[in-house]
Amino acid sequence: MNTYEERISLLNEMIAFAVVDGELHEREKQFLSIVATQLRIPKEVYLDLFHSEMDPVPIKSEFQRIQQFYRLALLMHVDGVLHEREQIAIQQIAINMGLNPAITKRILKMMHESETKIIAPDLILDAFREQHN
């Protein structure tokens, strides 16, 4: 991420996504905390995001949009419960980010079928590269 505002926006989007099913599970909160640390967001700011709304900052780089999509997909699976609202929301977010819906569905299917719900970054990038050929 380039700017502090963009990093805050990413985390804010993830927090909003985490509660789309009506609950914030402890594992989701732990995952969000890890992401906040990786994005170098101070803990106080991270905690304040749970009580604020902000307009998202568009992600310019396709690579960063793919990264954010994968973070959201991991977050969707972290609580062990896959809600229909999460599936609908992540597809809409991916479309809003300009990502290919067929590719995002394929990535989500691969994650669902994976025992660990984790996919190698190369496989994800290769899937998105296919659309450019």
Side-chain angles (χ1 to χ4, degrees):
M1 268 299 79
N2 298 332
T3 69
Y4 181 73
E5 289 78 23
E6 289 171 329
R7 294 190 318 262
I8 292 288
S9 180
L10 288 177
L11 192 55
N12 192 57
E13 179 180 43
M14 292 182 75
I15 290 169
F17 182 70
V19 296
V20 78
D21 62 358
E23 291 185 55
L24 180 63
H25 297 274
E26 187 58 35
R27 292 185 71 185
E28 291 172 323
K29 198 168 184 178
Q30 290 171 349
F31 183 80
L32 290 167
S33 178
I34 291 167
V35 171
T37 300
Q38 290 177 338
L39 293 174
R40 300 182 316 277
I41 305 297
K43 186 173 185 171
E44 314 79 53
V45 175
Y46 157 69
L47 293 173
D48 284 346
L49 289 175
F50 285 94
H51 308 288
S52 66
E53 287 187 33
M54 62 185 291
D55 292 328
V57 175
I59 306 170
K60 295 177 181 99
S61 157
E62 181 181 34
F63 178 74
Q64 290 172 339
R65 290 192 309 267
I66 293 168
Q67 274 185 311
Q68 180 67 354
F69 168 76
Y70 186 55
R71 282 188 201 109
L72 292 170
L74 288 171
L75 180 60
M76 182 170 79
H77 287 93
V78 78
D79 65 357
V81 181
L82 194 56
H83 293 275
E84 183 180 350
R85 281 191 243 161
E86 291 173 323
Q87 293 177 36
I88 293 167
I90 197 167
Q91 284 295 324
Q92 188 59 50
I93 290 168
I95 289 168
N96 292 345
M97 286 193 289
L99 297 176
N100 183 308
I103 303 297
T104 57
K105 284 180 185 176
R106 187 166 55 169
I107 298 289
L108 292 172
K109 183 177 185 219
M110 288 174 14
M111 289 181 78
H112 180 72
E113 292 172 352
S114 167
E115 188 174 310
T116 63
K117 308 305 181 208
I118 297 173
I119 300 174
D122 293 345
L123 289 175
I124 295 169
L125 292 175
D126 287 346
F128 281 99
R129 282 187 196 123
E130 285 177 19
Q131 75 178 354
H132 296 298
N133 291 331

